[in-house]
Amino acid sequence: MADIHTYEGAPEAEFGDYVALLKPRVMSLVVFTAFVGLWIAPVHVHPFVAFCAVLFIALGGGASGALNMWYDADIDAVMRRTAGRPIPAGRVARPEALAVGLALSGLSVMMLGLVANWFAAGFLAFTIFFYAVVYTIWLKRSTPQNIVIGGAAGAFPPMIGWACATGGISLESVLMFALIFFWTPPHFWALALFMKEDYHKAGVPMLTVTHGRAATRRHIFAYTLVLAPFAIWLGLTSVGGAFYMAVSVLLNALFILGGWRILKRDEVAAEADGYGVEKRYFKLSLYYLFLHFLALLVQHWIGGGW
Amino acid sequence: MALHTEHEIHRRRRSRNVGLGLVLIAFVVLVFALTIVKVQSGDMMEGFDHQPRVSELPREEPASQEPATEAAPAVTAAPEDSQ
């Protein structure tokens, strides 16, 4: 039928849909942590070079987000939280997302190599590979520890930032990695406790489904205990100091207390108050990471070390 | 119906075209500015060109002339090592 409605149904994306493919909200975490990693490193970097480096690290993160959406389009279509993403909503075709992901991956790695150094660029390439292939394609659908593995990909940006300045890896950057790596599971599992997404229907083994919600609560508390020593240890290195240590001790005390409260509750109590404790803990976890990295930045500004 | 009526699809196409145009312009400006910064900061611009050049050789230690001040070369060499 040849009328004005001939065009209806043909997926035609607007610019914002391609931006959405890059997961801008995840990117904001990448930008902030990569910037802190780069800025507090002992080697001075020209501010414009630092800006460009962080930009291309973020672009690499965005590219891996697009590859994730390309592969996970079937899962995204099933779950309420992700059904509005460009591919399941029918605005961007799957091969197009793959093309955007691969092209931006190549561009971001090449540009980071030219802006900073090739070690940092290789590190970024590895991170994209890790998130897109190891996490998304391989392990996300096969193990309930998927969040732990995905957390590693999110923990690399401060190490890449550090590598941009220093050209290598050191204890400080490994500890920044550990801070995000061990923070991710309790952060995400707290969300899984109250969001109750239908992961089972989507075919993703989520800890709350495979091992039960009580086991998830135990896992959350265990990870907060593992996380604390690494956060404190970071304060004892060359990038730490009295200010960072004060902030870290306070935040870890609050985080362990929150984890303990989650551990001590059962589902009946949680249902009764609408998952109030879990929601507060999730909010606290956002502040936890943000304030740790902000404290590193402030400590660098007032002078690091003991 | 008039043929010049703008369909909603045209708005989406324009958003794509304008967006991509701005991104490309921004990229060109970025690379240009980066070039200026890199040149001004005096990074090593010469690469390997099939035969060794004096500018690519490691700097000689000035220590051999003055054996009395052995500690001095290490101090002066430090800033080069840190980069």
Side-chain angles (χ1 to χ4, degrees):
Chain A
M1 201 164 70
D3 63 2
I4 190 77
H5 296 292
T6 306
Y7 283 114
E8 295 294 335
E12 185 121 359
E14 58 182 28
F15 189 69
D17 293 322
Y18 292 101
V19 176
L21 274 184
L22 309 184
K23 299 195 178 182
R25 276 202 295 182
V26 178
M27 234 191 217
S28 63
L29 175 75
V30 172
V31 166
F32 182 59
T33 57
F35 170 73
V36 173
L38 193 155
W39 203 247
I40 66 173
V43 181
H44 175 74
V45 180
H46 189 285
F48 187 74
V49 173
F51 167 79
C52 291
V54 171
L55 182 76
F56 289 114
I57 295 171
L59 196 65
S64 64
L67 293 173
N68 171 274
M69 286 202 202
W70 158 72
Y71 193 80
D72 276 350
D74 56 332
I75 298 179
D76 289 350
V78 175
M79 292 194 297
R80 190 163 42 89
R81 179 171 62 91
T82 53
R85 285 179 176 175
I87 301 175
R91 293 193 302 273
V92 174
R94 273 188 77 177
E96 224 177 347
L98 176 63
V100 168
L102 290 177
L104 290 184
S105 298
L107 181 81
S108 58
V109 170
M110 294 305 289
M111 286 306 296
L112 190 65
L114 294 171
V115 169
N117 56 66
W118 293 102
F119 179 81
F123 210 155
L124 180 65
F126 172 74
T127 304
I128 296 170
F129 168 80
F130 189 87
Y131 185 71
V133 178
V134 177
Y135 170 68
T136 303
I137 296 179
W138 182 24
L139 292 171
K140 183 177 177 179
R141 300 177 193 219
S142 59
T143 166
Q145 294 298 316
N146 45 20
I147 296 306
V148 181
I149 294 133
F156 283 127
M159 282 187 88
I160 304 175
W162 182 277
C164 282
T166 64
I169 295 172
S170 62
L171 178 66
E172 290 87 345
S173 74
V174 172
L175 288 173
M176 282 191 282
F177 169 87
L179 185 65
I180 306 180
F181 179 70
F182 291 113
W183 163 87
T184 310
H187 164 77
F188 197 86
W189 283 328
L191 181 74
L193 278 177
F194 65 81
M195 283 292 279
K196 294 192 168 176
E197 278 282 1
D198 204 349
Y199 289 104
H200 190 64
K201 197 169 75 178
V204 179
M206 191 53 68
L207 195 68
T208 46
V209 179
T210 56
H211 290 66
R213 305 173 78 79
T216 307
R217 291 171 186 279
R218 283 199 298 278
H219 273 74
I220 289 176
F221 183 61
Y223 268 97
T224 48
L225 290 183
V226 175
L227 171 63
F230 286 101
I232 302 294
W233 189 4
L234 184 58
L236 298 172
T237 63
S238 68
V239 297
F243 178 78
Y244 170 86
M245 197 57 104
V247 171
S248 184
V249 166
L250 179 69
L251 285 171
N252 278 289
L254 288 173
F255 211 49
I256 290 172
L257 181 68
W260 175 254
R261 283 191 182 139
I262 284 184
L263 177 71
K264 286 289 123 189
R265 271 153 75 88
D266 56 12
E267 285 308 305
V268 181
E271 290 278 1
D273 71 351
Y275 290 92
V277 171
E278 287 80 2
K279 285 176 182 168
R280 273 203 301 280
Y281 181 80
F282 178 74
K283 210 174 195 177
L284 173 69
S285 73
L286 289 170
Y287 282 113
Y288 178 93
L289 197 70
F290 175 71
L291 291 177
H292 262 97
F293 276 87
L294 189 67
L296 284 173
L297 212 54
V298 173
Q299 186 69 64
H300 178 75
W301 182 59
I302 58 179
W306 290 89
Chain B
M1 188 177 285
L3 283 174
H4 63 260
T5 303
E6 186 171 296
H7 193 267
E8 193 261 347
I9 211 163
H10 297 123
R11 187 190 60 76
R12 292 200 221 168
R13 269 182 202 161
R14 190 179 309 117
S15 122
R16 235 168 42 207
N17 294 338
V18 170
L20 186 60
L22 290 177
V23 166
L24 289 176
I25 290 169
F27 185 68
V28 170
V29 170
L30 193 87
V31 171
F32 181 68
L34 195 62
T35 309
I36 302 286
V37 167
K38 288 251 175 192
V39 169
Q40 282 185 346
S41 62
D43 287 358
M44 189 64 187
M45 292 293 151
E46 291 173 89
F48 176 69
D49 193 22
H50 305 286
Q51 58 182 1
R53 286 190 300 274
V54 176
S55 60
E56 287 209 314
L57 296 174
R59 286 195 192 173
E60 285 179 19
E61 299 278 323
S64 56
Q65 296 163 351
E66 295 174 11
T69 55
E70 281 180 357
V75 175
T76 51
E80 294 163 23
D81 294 342
S82 67
Q83 194 53 257

